[in-house]
Amino acid sequence: MGWKHYSVLVVYFIFLSGFGSCGSTAEESSVSESSCAPSQLSSGLGDSGFASVFTPDPITSSGDLTLTPKSRNLDQYRTQVKLSNLTGQGVLKGKYVEILNGLSCDNQYGAFETNNKFSYSHQDSRFQESMVYYFGDTYLQSIDNAGYLHSNRPTRLIAHCEMDDNAFFMRKVSPLGDSEEIVCLGDSVSTAGAFYSDDAVVTLHELQHGTTGGNYSMTEDMNQFWFDEAGALNESVSDFMSMMFTDGYVSPSSPIDIRVFSRWALGTFDPKANHTRGAHKCPMYDSQFPECGSYPKFEAPGPDNGFTSNISYIYPDGVGWPYPNNTKSQTPVQEYYENFSSQEEIHNSGMVILGGLWDAYTALKNLRPNDASSVKKGMTQLVMESIRHLPAPNSTTNHSPITFIGFVSNIIKTMESMPEYSASERSAVAQAFKARGLFEYTPIDSPTWMGVGPGTNKKIASSASPGFFVLDDPMILQRWLLNMGGKPSLVKQPPTSTNSKLDPGDVVAIWFDIENTADISAGGVLVTATSTDPDVKFLDAATNIGFMSLAGKNQVQTMYGKINGKTIVSAIGNLSGGRSGIPISNTYFTSNPFFNKSWRTAVWVKVSSEAPHGKVVTLNVQASPSNGVTSSKDFSITIN
Amino acid sequence: MNKKWFLFVASVAGFCFGLNRFGSYLDSVHEATPEEKAIKTSQFRPVEEKDLAKQRLEKQKKIGPVSKTFEANWEDFKKQFGSELKPEFSEDGKLIAIQGSRKAAGQTHSDFNSKDSKQVLSRAEEILSASQDLLGVKSDWPLKNVSVKTGPMSAQAYFVQSYQGLRVFPVGSVKLDLGKQGEVLALNSDYASDLKIVNQDKLDALSATHKAVEAFGDSTQSQKSKGVLVQDASKAIWAVDKDSGKYAFRVIVSGREIFVDSETGEILSNRDRRVH
């Protein structure tokens, strides 16, 4: 080979090594993977740059519903975008967010580019940093433009952070009100190469927790109990705002359904199950999903109705039904009632309000078809302003005053004071929420609606203490207290004394089997339990999250998500005439048969060691549903 | 004898009659308390509200008449800030909440700017000053402003209860919600007016932090964590119940808010504050 041939070969190898290699763009960084930013940063590098990101996730970018994290060459689905608001220090730090790398750089700056070109292959851990910067920055800028940015300090987002298969938001507020906010975006351990930062709606969901919480209060958390409507609202607002923000990436002709939340992370990272959520009027196992033509009907499948399943996301009967379809059963309604244990979990129980918000947004879009940006801005202002007016908790009468219905009421009132909305727009939004059972609903109006249930369900054949479930197994209780952050040493009874009864000296978790004698289901039921008997006392706030410290009595609160009314029981309960149904009834224990699988709706009680055997103790229970009047009943239990 | 006895009985009867008439006169000039008015108008309200109003009145009678100052305070407050304001009181007569509206009839300022944080704070402090007796605010447990939110449609001000400069947890927050003309939209109070310190402040910050990290380690059974992020311990007051407060340290350990008793090192509370 002559020298000419060798020079061609040299040029060819240079070409392969770094310039214009297949699949990369000319913008791609040439810095090696997994490097971290220097401790001495640059300055004056300009406030704009570029990145290559998924918009907002690989499935949406590609329009290919079959994509998974194991798919090859996800890089081809990246889009080049402009970065703004950079501080000009060569790292992904800006006016609204700063991005750190938890995996490679020990929670310090990872990506460092003096030319502000932060384009990386998906295989490079800095790709996730640039994804997070782009969406975090543009999102918070939109919140700022709407007038609801709650903090002057940039939020710190950690890509590849300490969390496995999850993400979280955390706010550290000093006693004097200074706050520092952190978002942690974890990596999947279920699926290698799957990163929560790759799904922009996850980043937006977590960031929105900061905006929601910051607009609600700088001194109180929205979530007051382990499970309450406040917590579910917090989650649903995050889902909604991220879905609304990313609406527009999908063309009308695309097969992608924009009403699905997190089709990438929640939809594909767990190879065993789909965990997506959605704003549809029915879950995925409804026979008429996705258009939910039978809404607002409820019907259990059976041979007599051609195995038709209808579950409607209407308040309150739709609360608690899971959204994704993870079963091949012909009778999914029965299947989920008998096996789905997360009915009251706050990420699951907010589908009705998520749907209501989406319907309101869609109604406004339909009335302003050529003005998408003003609809989004207006909806942001409406939601955030409504959050600002949500009531704060107190330890005297109401530890968790936020309800879906109260929030919707705020939205309607706020709209009335916003002149930019026309009468037809106000009416359309009101109608959207009314159709979801959240506005102008029929309330439970009898103050005697509450009864004492038997304390049984399909999993609890008989009750040792009718009207109650008493969990006194010390092994379970100690483990729960450990996970709660409580003191396992409080539980001293031996395992041999486990009998589901109150024995002298016991520390137990209890639930009240509240019966609903009304036709309408009770939603968001605030349960206030009071003991005037010194032999049975509710433990204080160190154990009971709803302990009423300032009530001046031994009193505790918790919230039950839903207690069925007679109408829904007739619709899908144990049906007569050979029809299939599900074993629900109009009690709390049969509304959620998994109520006692965790501590989250329990109240904790200590029985005095000197309590006399056979003594009957009366606990007063008040139940205040968000959709009705308070009812009060005494629940009596005998000391064993 | 009979005549004297008759005169005696007649004079006693006359005295009683006069007393009765005088009592009726007093009733006619006595201004009915809010509870008494509630009973009188309650026939049009649901049974449950009427019973509660009656119970409140009976309890009030047991503990003695409500001080005129308290009633006068609420009337003065309403005159100043809106006659349609609806209060919620605790059983011992402390103001817990006020519900107002954007159409408040009371004092508003057409030149109030809800986007100006100084004006918002000034207005909030004016309202708090007028309501501090109703809230039961004590001079050695004052309310401190920690945050103000402004906006074109409304503004909010947040206050926290403090003692010797230390913030009270988990109670003690007061939130004021103002409309764009400074009208009272809502007030929510979790102020604890009967707190007394029941422990001593002995622990140092480092020891408290160690206690908190130990408690954190115990409570992470279900969650993996690659590192422990600790925020410096800050002093606080922990309200154990209505009457008892303790000197404590507040430590944030990887998202968990942990309170440590400043005398014994006991963990008073350990909560995960992360939101997923």
Side-chain angles (χ1 to χ4, degrees):
Chain A
M1 289 171 86
W3 69 267
K4 283 184 187 174
H5 297 107
Y6 281 119
S7 61
V8 167
L9 281 172
V10 167
V11 168
Y12 178 69
F13 282 122
I14 291 171
F15 177 84
L16 280 182
S17 67
F19 297 94
S21 56
C22 186
S24 68
T25 69
E27 304 297 338
E28 210 137 282
S29 166
S30 59
V31 179
S32 63
E33 292 181 16
S34 305
S35 61
C36 301
S39 52
Q40 292 294 322
L41 299 177
S42 307
S43 63
L45 298 178
D47 61 2
S48 63
F50 291 95
S52 295
V53 300
F54 300 132
T55 51
D57 64 73
I59 288 177
T60 309
S61 287
S62 64
D64 182 355
L65 287 164
T66 66
L67 272 186
T68 71
K70 293 189 190 308
S71 300
R72 289 178 181 275
N73 200 8
L74 291 176
D75 282 350
Q76 63 183 299
Y77 305 118
R78 298 171 305 165
T79 303
Q80 190 172 73
V81 295
K82 186 179 171 206
L83 300 181
S84 303
N85 301 308
L86 291 164
T87 56
Q89 294 169 286
V91 292
L92 286 165
K93 180 180 177 184
K95 179 180 174 188
Y96 299 109
V97 293
E98 59 175 340
I99 314 304
L100 309 175
N101 190 317
L103 181 70
S104 316
C105 302
D106 205 22
N107 293 333
Q108 300 299 318
Y109 297 115
F112 177 71
E113 304 294 343
T114 53
N115 57 6
N116 283 348
K117 286 176 181 162
F118 297 94
S119 291
Y120 307 103
S121 166
H122 175 253
Q123 302 305 312
D124 187 326
S125 70
R126 292 168 296 176
F127 169 84
Q128 284 72 36
E129 295 177 49
S130 59
M131 267 289 290
V132 172
Y133 184 87
Y134 172 68
F135 282 100
D137 174 69
T138 48
Y139 182 65
L140 288 179
Q141 181 160 7
S142 76
I143 300 292
D144 193 8
N145 291 343
Y148 288 90
L149 191 71
H150 67 286
S151 172
N152 293 328
R153 292 171 72 163
T155 302
R156 191 172 290 178
L157 293 99
I158 306 175
H160 309 289
C161 77
E162 63 187 50
M163 205 78 215
D164 290 338
D165 273 299
N166 214 325
F168 67 77
F169 166 81
M170 186 174 87
R171 180 174 73 182
K172 293 194 291 185
V173 183
S174 77
L176 294 175
D178 297 323
S179 79
E180 186 188 334
E181 302 189 343
I182 296 170
V183 167
C184 161
L185 296 155
D187 297 340
S188 177
V189 294
S190 309
T191 301
F195 312 107
Y196 281 75
S197 307
D198 287 345
D199 191 343
V201 295
V202 175
T203 299
L204 302 177
H205 173 108
E206 302 302 340
L207 270 176
Q208 180 59 40
H209 278 314
T211 306
T212 299
N215 275 283
Y216 170 63
S217 170
M218 294 307 286
T219 59
E220 296 285 353
D221 286 343
M222 256 177 86
N223 306 25
Q224 286 292 308
F225 300 149
W226 300 103
F227 289 163
D228 55 11
E229 285 201 352
L233 179 65
N234 199 348
E235 297 303 329
S236 301
V237 166
S238 275
D239 284 355
F240 168 70
M241 293 295 290
S242 58
M243 287 164 68
M244 182 174 72
F245 185 78
T246 53
D247 180 24
Y249 284 116
V250 176
S251 68
S253 58
S254 166
I256 306 292
D257 189 334
I258 58 173
R259 293 169 290 181
V260 175
F261 174 76
S262 186
R263 65 183 61 76
W264 184 246
L266 296 185
T268 68
F269 285 13
D270 180 354
K272 293 181 191 161
N274 176 354
H275 301 285
T276 54
R277 303 191 280 271
H280 298 76
K281 288 189 157 69
C282 65
M284 291 175 70
Y285 45 91
D286 184 286
S287 300
Q288 298 195 40
F289 181 86
E291 296 317 318
C292 307
S294 295
Y295 183 88
K297 198 174 163 193
F298 287 82
E299 190 159 352
D304 55 310
N305 71 350
F307 293 98
T308 296
S309 294
N310 291 131
I311 295 292
S312 294
Y313 282 134
I314 185 168
Y315 190 79
D317 289 313
V319 170
W321 290 97
Y323 172 79
N325 190 4
N326 286 307
T327 179
K328 291 184 171 56
S329 167
Q330 258 190 322
T331 55
V333 173
Q334 288 86 329
E335 171 89 13
Y336 281 119
Y337 175 76
E338 302 209 3
N339 296 305
F340 181 68
S341 59
S342 299
Q343 196 190 110
E344 290 175 291
E345 199 280 332
I346 56 176
H347 292 84
N348 178 71
S349 59
M351 233 65 72
V352 174
I353 186 70
L354 167 61
L357 285 165
W358 187 263
D359 291 349
Y361 166 61
T362 304
L364 291 174
K365 271 202 302 182
N366 290 341
L367 290 169
R368 294 192 200 179
N370 301 315
D371 200 0
S373 63
S374 90
V375 171
K376 287 188 183 183
K377 184 176 177 180
M379 198 69 195
T380 298
Q381 290 169 330
L382 201 51
V383 172
M384 292 302 110
E385 184 66 26
S386 303
I387 283 168
R388 284 195 174 186
H389 300 301
L390 288 170
N394 67 69
S395 305
T396 309
T397 57
N398 197 333
H399 214 303
S400 183
I402 294 173
T403 63
F404 297 158
I405 283 173
F407 174 63
V408 168
S409 173
N410 279 1
I411 288 183
I412 305 298
K413 282 184 207 161
T414 300
M415 267 195 116
E416 285 167 10
S417 61
M418 291 172 78
E420 54 266 49
Y421 284 114
S422 66
S424 58
E425 286 172 331
R426 292 187 194 127
S427 173
V429 166
Q431 193 52 42
F433 286 115
K434 185 176 174 182
R436 292 282 187 158
L438 293 166
F439 183 63
E440 291 182 349
Y441 54 90
T442 305
I444 301 172
D445 57 8
S446 165
T448 57
W449 67 263
M450 180 162 81
V452 178
T456 57
N457 62 21
K458 196 172 178 191
K459 297 179 188 301
I460 307 167
S462 65
S463 175
S465 305
F468 291 82
F469 184 81
V470 176
L471 180 66
D472 60 341
D473 183 331
M475 309 296 283
I476 296 174
L477 294 173
Q478 286 170 345
R479 190 172 71 244
W480 281 2
L481 284 168
L482 200 62
N483 286 330
M484 282 161 59
K487 290 178 204 163
S489 59
L490 285 174
V491 179
K492 293 179 171 37
Q493 62 263 27
T496 48
S497 74
T498 301
N499 55 12
S500 298
K501 295 178 183 175
L502 296 188
D503 289 291
D506 273 1
V507 165
V508 301
I510 65 173
W511 293 258
F512 304 97
D513 193 18
I514 294 176
E515 181 191 42
N516 178 6
T517 63
D519 290 335
I520 301 165
S521 296
V525 184
L526 180 70
V527 177
T528 306
T530 309
S531 172
T532 52
D533 194 316
D535 282 327
V536 173
K537 282 190 173 176
F538 295 110
L539 295 175
D540 67 16
T543 310
N544 272 311
I545 199 170
F547 186 72
M548 304 305 281
S549 316
L550 302 185
K553 45 182 99 163
N554 187 240
Q555 189 175 80
V556 69
Q557 288 185 335
T558 187
M559 186 170 279
Y560 294 165
K562 177 180 74 177
I563 305 173
N564 292 327
K566 292 177 182 170
T567 303
I568 189 67
V569 174
S570 298
I572 58 171
N574 279 323
L575 304 171
S576 59
R579 281 205 63 195
S580 302
I582 56 174
I584 61 169
S585 186
N586 56 329
T587 64
Y588 175 54
F589 289 7
T590 57
S591 297
N592 177 13
F594 292 93
F595 70 93
N596 57 344
K597 292 309 169 199
S598 85
W599 65 83
R600 292 177 172 93
T601 56
V603 295
W604 294 75
V605 155
K606 175 157 177 66
V607 185
S608 163
S609 311
E610 285 80 41
H613 298 284
K615 180 182 183 183
V616 177
V617 171
T618 298
L619 302 176
N620 177 259
V621 176
Q622 281 192 329
S624 306
S626 72
N627 62 332
V629 298
T630 298
S631 188
S632 181
K633 205 86 182 164
D634 285 339
F635 281 64
S636 296
I637 189 166
T638 305
I639 308 284
N640 189 33
Chain B
M1 187 70 172
N2 283 341
K3 190 179 177 184
K4 280 182 188 171
W5 177 247
F6 173 76
L7 284 172
F8 172 74
V9 170
S11 58
V12 169
F15 178 75
C16 291
F17 178 75
L19 202 60
N20 183 266
R21 295 300 297 163
F22 182 65
S24 299
Y25 169 73
L26 284 180
D27 280 342
S28 69
V29 299
H30 163 70
E31 190 180 338
T33 65
E35 307 304 348
E36 287 165 341
K37 279 182 192 165
I39 299 292
K40 283 176 189 165
T41 59
S42 67
Q43 62 263 34
F44 300 116
R45 289 187 296 169
V47 169
E48 182 219 11
E49 280 191 45
K50 191 163 46 175
D51 285 345
L52 283 178
K54 194 174 173 186
Q55 282 167 24
R56 278 202 296 273
L57 181 60
E58 279 164 5
K59 188 180 169 85
Q60 191 177 296
K61 282 177 181 168
K62 278 181 199 163
I63 63 176
V66 173
S67 71
K68 188 82 169 109
T69 309
F70 177 87
E71 281 183 316
N73 279 341
W74 176 244
E75 289 305 314
D76 285 344
F77 188 91
K78 280 203 305 183
K79 278 180 198 155
Q80 198 175 349
F81 298 107
S83 56
E84 77 303 324
L85 295 176
K86 293 187 176 68
E88 181 189 352
F89 293 101
S90 65
E91 284 187 5
D92 61 353
K94 297 287 186 306
L95 184 65
I96 299 172
I98 298 174
Q99 192 60 43
S101 74
R102 290 186 188 275
K103 298 164 192 169
Q107 188 190 66
T108 57
H109 303 280
S110 59
D111 57 349
F112 179 81
N113 182 358
S114 59
K115 291 189 273 193
D116 183 332
S117 57
K118 286 191 179 140
Q119 283 194 40
V120 170
L121 181 58
S122 173
R123 177 68 170 164
E125 286 174 340
E126 180 192 358
I127 294 167
L128 271 194
S129 175
S131 60
Q132 63 176 4
D133 287 343
L134 292 164
L135 294 169
V137 177
K138 301 271 167 58
S139 57
D140 53 344
W141 295 82
L143 285 168
K144 275 197 315 194
N145 172 249
V146 291
S147 171
V148 163
K149 291 228 169 306
T150 59
M153 284 190 271
S154 67
Q156 291 75 35
Y158 303 87
F159 296 80
V160 294
Q161 186 173 354
S162 64
Y163 179 74
Q164 295 178 346
L166 305 180
R167 184 183 156 183
V168 177
F169 290 89
V171 299
S173 296
V174 174
K175 174 183 173 182
L176 261 170
D177 194 359
L178 304 173
K180 62 183 176 188
Q181 288 188 310
E183 68 271 35
V184 176
L185 294 181
L187 180 151
N188 294 119
S189 171
D190 200 21
Y191 186 86
S193 52
D194 300 322
L195 285 179
K196 288 181 181 40
I197 297 292
V198 298
N199 74 339
Q200 293 185 24
D201 184 14
K202 286 183 180 172
L203 217 58
D204 60 87
L206 190 60
S207 304
T209 305
H210 284 149
K211 293 281 183 191
V213 172
E214 270 174 21
F216 168 78
D218 282 344
S219 58
T220 53
Q221 301 291 316
S222 59
Q223 297 192 28
K224 293 177 193 171
S225 181
K226 292 194 182 74
V228 175
L229 302 171
V230 182
Q231 181 182 17
D232 289 341
S234 57
K235 281 195 176 180
I237 302 292
W238 177 262
V240 179
D241 56 38
K242 192 167 177 279
D243 307 304
S244 318
K246 288 186 171 181
Y247 287 111
F249 277 96
R250 176 177 177 258
V251 191
I252 309 291
V253 184
S254 280
R256 294 194 81 92
E257 184 185 47
I258 301 175
F259 287 89
V260 182
D261 187 317
S262 194
E263 180 178 333
T264 63
E266 180 196 358
I267 301 299
L268 296 167
S269 174
N270 178 353
R271 293 262 180 263
D272 191 347
R273 292 296 182 194
R274 295 174 300 176
V275 188
H276 294 274

